[in-house]
Amino acid sequence: MKKLALLLLAGATALTTFAWGQKGHDVVAYIAECHLTQAAADSVAAIFNGRSAVYWSNWLDNASHTPEYAYTKSWHYKNINEDVAYADAPLNPEGDVVRAIREQIALLSDVKSTKGQKELALKILIHCVGDMHQPMHMGRLSDRGGNNHKLKYFDHDSNLHSIWDGSLLNSGHAWSYTEWQNQIDRLGEIDEAMEAMGNVDDWAQQTHTIAIRVYNYFPQGMKVSYDQIAAWTPVIEQQLLRGGLRLARILNAIFDPESKDNPADF
């Protein structure tokens, strides 16, 4: 019985490690859903055969580890070293999150794309927009986006990428994805439009700037505790909201003929 209890505890711990991956992507997707026009919502539902953006929000994290979709492994991030400006960063020949987003927008906007192509592109787009707003997905190339940047989270060994993927978010608020949306998605119309404005490079560079702040705040070996959770939870809230509002703007531009945005401008 003791051995079984330890196995169950280990399994629960492993699942918790990936909780933000699912939760954060669900929050971004659900905020986007709440801001779709009827035309865009109908198009998304048609492509997904009635399933929602939330249903598929974390699909790519699993798919990228399969042989069929292994080509998307580098599409989750754009790593830039500390001495390199965003505009000067060398391109990864295997792709990055910025180019992946633009490629999916182009596919979804092309009248020649098949339903199958659009379904795959939409799954990838929903996930990648979420990824681009996680600062460590715009982190340093030298430490694999913070994965090699070792920290303590309370008394447990961790790393900078891991605490941003889940630990800080889950410690900040123990909310469901619908509660996250209800609590943080409360901007007025003007502020909403301000957060959603810009293009993919604007958003990526903004997240990269936050990543620089994160590195400066969290030196190697730091013990992360309550003060750091309090300091950075508002940033997580802001990034999830931005991701959702911007994803909605992209989808409305693609699928609503009355949208003022042109998909090619992203």
Side-chain angles (χ1 to χ4, degrees):
M1 288 297 293
K2 184 177 180 181
K3 184 177 181 181
L4 176 60
L6 289 172
L7 287 171
L8 290 173
L9 178 60
T13 302
L15 288 172
T16 303
T17 302
F18 297 99
W20 183 86
Q22 184 73 59
K23 181 68 66 64
H25 285 290
D26 287 353
V27 173
V28 169
Y30 188 58
I31 290 172
E33 281 187 355
C34 292
H35 291 271
L36 294 181
T37 66
Q38 190 61 55
D42 290 345
S43 293
V44 169
I47 291 172
F48 284 157
N49 297 316
R51 295 199 189 278
S52 71
V54 174
Y55 183 90
W56 293 110
S57 67
N58 201 49
W59 174 83
L60 193 63
D61 268 346
N62 296 317
S64 291
H65 293 283
T66 66
E68 185 176 4
Y69 299 106
Y71 65 90
T72 66
K73 282 185 178 179
S74 65
W75 293 12
H76 299 258
Y77 57 87
K78 182 180 175 71
N79 288 340
I80 304 169
N81 274 331
E82 58 186 312
D83 56 345
V84 179
Y86 175 85
D88 299 327
L91 295 179
N92 184 336
E94 297 181 356
D96 60 58
V97 69
V98 173
R99 283 178 287 160
I101 289 171
R102 287 206 167 107
E103 288 168 8
Q104 310 324 304
I105 292 172
L107 274 167
L108 288 164
S109 304
D110 190 344
V111 295
K112 296 179 182 178
S113 296
T114 66
K115 185 175 183 294
Q117 288 173 321
K118 288 187 176 182
E119 182 178 350
L120 178 58
L122 189 54
K123 292 175 185 176
I124 294 172
L125 176 65
I126 290 166
H127 186 87
C128 286
V129 171
D131 273 346
M132 189 176 64
H133 287 84
Q134 203 275 64
M136 289 299 97
H137 284 252
M138 297 295 301
R140 292 176 184 167
L141 180 63
S142 60
D143 65 11
R144 298 171 53 245
N147 277 289
N148 295 339
H149 190 104
K150 304 304 181 183
L151 301 170
K152 285 275 190 183
Y153 195 72
F154 291 88
D155 293 321
H156 301 285
D157 291 334
S158 189
N159 62 70
L160 190 57
H161 192 109
S162 179
I163 71 164
W164 273 88
D165 257 358
S167 304
L168 291 173
L169 184 150
N170 289 319
S171 296
H173 300 298
W175 293 335
S176 67
Y177 72 83
T178 56
E179 290 171 325
W180 270 92
Q181 182 276 329
N182 179 264
Q183 294 299 320
I184 70 175
D185 187 10
R186 294 174 178 239
L187 296 182
E189 189 174 339
I190 294 175
D191 289 334
E192 224 173 68
M194 289 291 292
E195 290 287 16
M197 70 184 298
N199 62 34
V200 181
D201 276 307
D202 296 329
W203 307 334
Q205 188 161 9
Q206 182 184 57
T207 303
H208 177 59
T209 300
I210 295 172
I212 293 171
R213 287 170 47 203
V214 170
Y215 278 106
N216 290 337
Y217 185 95
F218 293 92
Q220 286 264 15
M222 180 181 188
K223 182 174 181 179
V224 179
S225 187
Y226 298 105
D227 288 349
Q228 290 72 44
I229 295 167
W232 289 95
T233 294
V235 177
I236 292 172
E237 295 170 3
Q238 184 179 48
Q239 286 301 100
L240 292 176
L241 179 58
R242 284 170 170 168
L245 294 175
R246 291 163 180 177
L247 176 58
R249 182 170 161 238
I250 291 170
L251 296 177
N252 287 335
I254 293 170
F255 295 122
D256 191 340
E258 296 184 7
S259 172
K260 296 178 181 178
D261 290 307
N262 185 336
D265 292 337
F266 288 102

